[in-house]
Amino acid sequence: MTDLATYNFAYLDEQTKRMIRRAILKAISIPGYQVPFASREMPMPYGWGTGGVQVTAAILGPKDVLKVIDQGADDTTNAVSIRAFFQKVANVAVTTKTRDATIIQTRHRIPEETLTAGQTLVYQVPIPEPLRFLEPRETETRKMHALEEYGLMHVKLYEDIARNGHIATTYAYPVKVEGRYVMDPSPTPKFDNPKMHMSEALQLFGAGREKRIYAVPPHTDVVSLDFEDHPFEIQHFDKPCALCGAEHVYLDEVVLDDKGGRMFVCSDTDHCEDRREHGHAGHLLAQQEAAE
Amino acid sequence: MATPLVVSEVAKSFTMHLRDGIRLPVVNGVSFSVKKGECVVLGGPSGVGKSSILKMLYGNYAVDAGQILIEHQGRLVDLAHAAPRAVLEVRRDTLGYVSQFLRVVPRVSALDVVAEPLLARGVEQAAAREKAAGLLAKLNLPRELWQLPPATFSGGEQQRVNIARGFITDHAILLLDEPTASLDATNRRVVVEMIAAKKAEGVALLGIFHDEEVRDAVADRILDVSAFSPRKAAA
Amino acid sequence: MSAVPLLKVNDVSKFYGSRIGCRNVSFELWPGEVLAIVGESGSGKTTLLSCLSTRLMPSSGIVEYHMRDGQYRDLARMSEAERRFLMRTDWGFVHQNPADGLRMTVSAGANVGERLMAVGDRHYGNIRATAADWLRRVEIEEDRIDDQPRSFSGGMRQRLQIARNLVTSPRLVFMDEPTGGLDVSVQARLLDLVRGLVHDLGLSAIIVTHDLAVARLLSHRMMVMKDGLVIEQGLTDRVLDDPREPYTQLLVSSILQV
């Protein structure tokens, strides 16, 4: 606790946290709407999750249990750094177990295990505006949100089909929240989009550089945009996880050698470990054990 | 009404602002009428204002004073004071005009140039084209020209396209501005026959013909425009 | 001809500070009618067009539009949402520079399809078929449907812009110097195309141009502007064959005869 003397709890001062909480409350009240907030300088560069960190700092209490993942993994640089940061400035308990966490800060994934009531998922968002790449003017995109003019979003999907024969957007796939606002779900794979729909957990999104916070409250409609003749589909993998044998999960490709050897493993490391602890084994692990 | 066109006390002058506002009187006190089935020919030396009268009647020239009364769909319209869209309506349904020169529209074939007035009145394209083809055949326009835009046609060929375009509708009044000027004898005779047919249908025709033979063949009456010349009156 | 005007313009003025944009302009536009606004640069014709098309708020005066439900609406009193909806459904606006009216980094098909998607069309196949049909109507090869307008010539871009505007069957199209930056031969083709489409679709159009030949070919009626005022108006044939005002006479006499 001695380290804490130099910092306020969770790094940010109380006034800042109140300001961010007000933005969060507004975001929860208007699902999918991007609320501007006075994003602070954080002791890490933009792009490292400054938005997510500020949201987490504003909602974190001493009794919370924090999990931080980056691309589904608890042990990557970004995740380790942010977890260490909050251990130091808030002295909260941390975990890698999805079901034990009360707050999960994430970059680019939603855990495989279904989140439950009382849990909060905090997304790190690089570019919150889904219309940005087609309409560079912020004044115009705000107006389009205000007037519900979302034809442009379908123009993007149209272009995808025209070029690739199918909707080739695989991450940051736009969704419509509660039938009103079109929202960028941050660069999560579209595989995770259905998990946002009617989730029991609270989902908060923080964009530090762009100074925006938005939210999807529990039990909210989240619908991925599509065409009648090109309906939304998630990615499918032909093989199960090489380590735990899980099917219907999001897999990462791992290169094994320089001879073209590769394996597909769970991107959610906690999920994978949990399964292995419960005796599941994929073909690679089985081979290894057989060899030993 | 047996007199679909009545012109009353019409005066016209040009004010040339680019030449110190000099005022050129053209005609004064023009009064005449044309009955159904009648062909009235405007006579008099050139420059006396024959073409100007036709252009006033068709709305291309404004009128300083007087009335131009046209029977249009059972009511009288004063073209001298009508709104632009009323003039357009009268042109579409009642008042036809064969000018001396064809205003060529790029890329539109001769056949479609001729058929256009019918299309504008809602006739189906196939029927309009068929009628256009009939007229072009009658006027001896070589069949291989029908699908070409008339821009590159000779003067006589363009004129025949123009005549066909003017005669294709059942307009109750037809204005003819030297329709036979660049035609050979054969085609002049065809036009004379077509005018006779229009007269038989009860169309009121008003024209300018310099060719005496044609004039004598079609005119029921010759109206000497010199009588309306303000210069003559002044002298 | 329908019995009521599509657009009623009453005493519209626009001032830029103490400078006059346009002053006391009144007229009515009827269904199926094409009106040309001519005048030299700075005469106020583009300002007037902007006031009519709600791109600028007039300083005074009223512009009323006959909505599809039969009601007249004061454009200045409509909500922005209604105005924008009108602009992308019942109206079209063809800019002089196609880059201002197109999305240059989006394919031709999507440029045409955008308005359909904006009004809720969600069937890719139908949207694409409609886009292809419109490309054909504006004489763009169907195999260019997936190309971006960046790779199109000036004339093609302008034709694409027209297709993009007409796909929702608007009733009123505003055009600002539609043939402005084009070669003469390309102009002729575009003019003929616009003429045909206006005729076939029964469109009303207001076309701003300084080119009297364009006005002659496309318009029924003409307004001549000078120093922000409409100095002469009437049937296009009449204004061009028998110009009354000194400035109109100067304008008409300045045309090069070929």
Side-chain angles (χ1 to χ4, degrees):
Chain A
M1 287 298 275
T2 49
D3 287 357
L4 280 176
T6 43
Y7 294 104
N8 189 33
F9 177 77
Y11 185 72
L12 294 174
D13 63 273
E14 291 306 311
Q15 290 305 324
T16 297
K17 286 197 269 185
R18 291 177 65 182
M19 174 271 292
I20 295 173
R21 285 175 200 147
R22 281 195 295 271
I24 292 172
L25 285 174
K26 180 168 179 180
I28 292 170
S29 313
I30 316 170
Y33 171 70
Q34 300 166 46
V35 183
F37 81 110
S39 176
R40 297 292 194 250
E41 292 291 331
M42 298 303 286
M44 61 190 74
Y46 287 135
W48 283 59
T50 54
V53 166
Q54 289 180 78
V55 170
T56 300
I59 61 171
L60 195 64
K63 287 180 189 155
D64 272 313
V65 181
L66 181 68
K67 170 180 163 80
V68 183
I69 51 173
D70 172 9
Q71 305 270 20
D74 295 274
D75 53 2
T76 49
T77 313
N78 194 256
V80 170
S81 308
I82 292 171
R83 195 163 56 228
F85 174 76
F86 280 113
Q87 273 181 300
K88 185 169 185 179
V89 300
N91 197 25
V92 289
V94 294
T95 181
T96 59
K97 297 271 176 232
T98 298
R99 75 178 67 94
D100 294 343
T102 55
I103 297 173
I104 303 168
Q105 180 168 334
T106 177
R107 174 175 175 270
H108 297 193
R109 273 312 307 280
I110 298 175
E112 300 293 353
E113 195 173 323
T114 307
L115 300 180
T116 55
Q119 289 187 302
T120 303
L121 187 60
V122 178
Y123 296 76
Q124 300 169 199
V125 181
I127 295 167
E129 179 50 71
L131 301 161
R132 178 62 67 236
F133 288 104
L134 292 153
E135 178 50 70
R137 291 167 297 181
E138 173 75 10
T139 49
E140 187 65 16
T141 53
R142 281 209 213 184
K143 204 166 274 180
M144 291 161 86
H145 282 294
L147 302 177
E148 244 184 302
E149 290 179 5
Y150 290 131
L152 204 52
M153 216 59 254
H154 275 87
V155 168
K156 185 170 181 281
L157 301 179
Y158 172 99
E159 286 290 87
D160 253 10
I161 304 173
R163 264 188 229 138
N164 307 300
H166 59 95
I167 299 178
T169 301
T170 51
Y171 66 94
Y173 191 105
V175 293
K176 196 163 203 179
V177 180
E178 203 62 14
R180 177 59 181 82
Y181 284 95
V182 166
M183 185 186 93
D184 183 336
S186 88
T188 50
K190 66 178 177 180
F191 181 88
D192 287 340
N193 274 17
K195 296 180 194 161
M196 307 178 77
H197 177 63
M198 288 293 164
S199 170
E200 286 181 17
L202 170 65
Q203 302 173 74
L204 301 175
F205 300 77
R209 181 180 45 211
E210 304 286 324
K211 302 178 172 53
R212 294 287 184 279
I213 286 172
Y214 50 102
V216 175
H219 308 289
T220 300
D221 251 338
V222 179
V223 179
S224 303
L225 301 182
D226 60 1
F227 285 101
E228 289 159 18
D229 48 345
H230 287 268
F232 172 78
E233 278 177 357
I234 58 170
Q235 293 100 327
H236 290 285
F237 300 91
D238 351 321
K239 287 182 209 157
C241 170
L243 296 179
C244 75
E247 291 178 359
H248 310 297
V249 294
Y250 193 73
L251 300 180
D252 283 339
E253 183 178 359
V254 178
V255 174
L256 295 175
D257 50 39
D258 56 2
K259 299 186 199 75
R262 61 195 58 201
M263 64 172 181
F264 287 87
V265 296
C266 285
S267 116
D268 184 340
T269 51
D270 168 61
H271 184 71
C272 198
E273 276 162 21
D274 191 58
R275 278 177 59 84
R276 275 179 277 154
E277 276 166 21
H278 286 84
H280 296 279
H283 73 275
L284 250 162
L285 206 63
Q287 279 172 14
Q288 221 168 36
E289 274 162 12
E292 283 161 12
Chain B
M1 197 173 78
T3 312
L5 173 64
V6 177
V7 178
S8 165
E9 293 296 323
V10 163
K12 169 72 190 163
S13 66
F14 288 115
T15 305
M16 315 297 275
H17 292 285
L18 302 182
R19 284 160 54 193
D20 302 323
I22 179 177
R23 195 168 159 275
L24 298 176
V26 184
V27 286
N28 211 344
V30 181
S31 298
F32 66 90
S33 60
V34 184
K35 286 198 274 286
K36 282 182 81 165
E38 185 183 33
C39 179
V40 175
V41 172
L42 298 175
S46 57
V48 81
K50 300 186 294 290
S51 271
S52 293
I53 291 177
L54 285 191
K55 283 180 174 158
M56 280 189 282
L57 261 52
Y58 200 58
N60 282 31
Y61 281 2
V63 172
D64 294 351
Q67 290 181 309
I68 297 168
L69 298 173
I70 302 254
E71 191 199 356
H72 170 67
Q73 297 184 332
R75 61 197 161 87
L76 280 184
V77 175
D78 180 4
L79 272 196
H81 301 98
R85 74 184 201 104
V87 176
L88 291 173
E89 199 183 306
V90 168
R91 282 183 180 183
R92 191 190 61 205
D93 295 332
T94 307
L95 184 65
Y97 183 51
V98 179
S99 61
Q100 228 168 322
F101 304 104
L102 180 68
R103 192 182 299 287
V104 182
V105 180
R107 300 203 308 159
V108 179
S109 73
L111 195 68
D112 285 340
V113 168
V114 174
E116 199 197 340
L118 282 186
L119 296 176
R121 297 175 68 179
V123 175
E124 252 183 75
Q125 194 170 52
R129 279 194 177 149
E130 196 184 317
K131 193 162 181 196
L135 279 165
L136 289 176
K138 194 187 247 179
L139 285 157
N140 304 306
L141 189 78
R143 193 171 281 268
E144 57 268 27
L145 295 183
W146 294 5
Q147 297 303 332
L148 299 178
T152 53
F153 290 9
S154 74
E157 287 159 353
Q158 288 197 1
Q159 180 119 49
R160 278 177 275 164
V161 172
N162 217 5
I163 292 167
R165 180 180 159 90
F167 277 76
I168 195 167
T169 56
D170 57 355
H171 282 141
I173 307 168
L174 255 187
L175 308 176
L176 308 170
D177 191 355
E178 300 204 45
T180 56
S182 13
L183 298 186
D184 58 24
T186 318
N187 285 313
R188 273 203 301 272
R189 273 196 298 280
V190 174
V191 175
V192 169
E193 281 166 27
M194 285 168 66
I195 291 172
K198 283 285 179 194
K199 282 164 70 173
E201 287 166 24
V203 174
L205 294 114
L206 179 68
I208 303 172
F209 297 92
H210 281 142
D211 184 301
E212 273 180 44
E213 190 192 320
V214 176
R215 185 165 59 198
D216 294 344
V218 300
D220 293 302
R221 185 151 66 88
I222 292 178
L223 191 71
D224 187 359
V225 175
S226 326
F228 308 128
S229 168
R231 268 162 286 182
K232 197 168 202 175
Chain C
M1 231 176 253
S2 164
V4 292
L6 192 61
L7 196 71
K8 293 200 280 195
V9 180
N10 191 8
D11 212 20
V12 163
S13 300
K14 175 72 187 175
F15 300 98
Y16 300 104
S18 58
R19 273 190 310 118
I20 296 166
C22 62
R23 204 166 71 190
N24 305 115
V25 179
S26 298
F27 69 91
E28 289 176 341
L29 184 77
W30 297 78
E33 190 175 43
V34 179
L35 171 72
I37 305 176
V38 303
E40 61 194 5
S41 311
S43 59
K45 51 193 198 299
T46 298
T47 294
L48 177 60
L49 191 75
S50 300
C51 287
L52 302 177
S53 59
T54 75
R55 302 167 69 80
L56 270 181
M57 255 324 151
S59 307
S60 65
I62 294 176
V63 183
E64 285 180 293
Y65 181 68
H66 192 236
M67 308 287 286
R68 280 182 193 264
D69 65 6
Q71 302 293 311
Y72 279 102
R73 294 289 305 275
D74 179 348
L75 295 178
R77 288 170 183 275
M78 286 171 99
S79 72
E80 186 167 19
E82 287 175 300
R83 268 205 302 274
R84 287 170 66 110
F85 184 74
L86 194 66
M87 290 216 57
R88 60 169 193 265
T89 53
D90 217 19
W91 287 7
F93 197 107
V94 176
H95 297 261
Q96 174 172 10
N97 180 359
D100 293 340
L102 292 172
R103 292 193 191 279
M104 296 303 279
T105 56
V106 159
S107 72
N111 261 291
V112 177
E114 182 176 343
R115 274 178 165 230
L116 297 173
M117 294 182 248
V119 295
D121 210 327
R122 292 287 176 267
H123 192 284
Y124 173 84
N126 294 349
I127 292 167
R128 193 173 171 82
T130 309
D133 181 48
W134 268 100
L135 290 183
R136 185 186 52 72
R137 290 173 79 164
V138 298
E139 300 171 17
I140 294 174
E141 297 291 328
E142 207 184 311
D143 62 9
R144 304 299 301 269
I145 191 168
D146 293 329
D147 294 348
Q148 294 181 359
R150 285 192 293 200
S151 69
F152 286 8
S153 68
M156 280 172 76
R157 287 181 188 183
Q158 197 57 295
R159 280 180 273 136
L160 179 64
Q161 194 191 180
I162 288 167
R164 174 177 159 90
N165 273 284
L166 296 186
V167 67
T168 49
S169 309
R171 294 190 298 159
L172 174 59
V173 178
F174 300 95
M175 299 191 191
D176 187 7
E177 302 276 9
T179 58
L182 303 175
D183 289 345
V184 180
S185 60
V186 178
Q187 269 191 29
R189 182 177 185 188
L190 187 77
L191 286 174
D192 177 44
L193 183 83
V194 170
R195 189 176 159 279
L197 288 171
V198 165
H199 183 268
D200 295 347
L201 305 171
L203 287 177
S204 298
I206 298 180
I207 299 174
V208 160
T209 179
H210 64 271
D211 187 336
L212 297 181
V214 170
R216 170 82 92 175
L217 194 62
L218 293 182
S219 72
H220 302 118
R221 195 151 62 92
M222 202 159 126
M223 295 201 315
V224 184
M225 290 192 74
K226 184 174 191 295
D227 300 330
L229 294 169
V230 175
I231 55 160
E232 182 162 1
Q233 58 177 314
L235 197 67
T236 298
D237 286 348
R238 207 281 293 154
V239 174
L240 291 176
D241 290 349
D242 183 15
R244 315 285 275 179
E245 292 297 317
Y247 176 71
T248 317
Q249 291 187 356
L250 178 69
L251 212 58
V252 171
S253 67
S254 310
I255 309 175
L256 292 174
Q257 300 286 341
V258 184

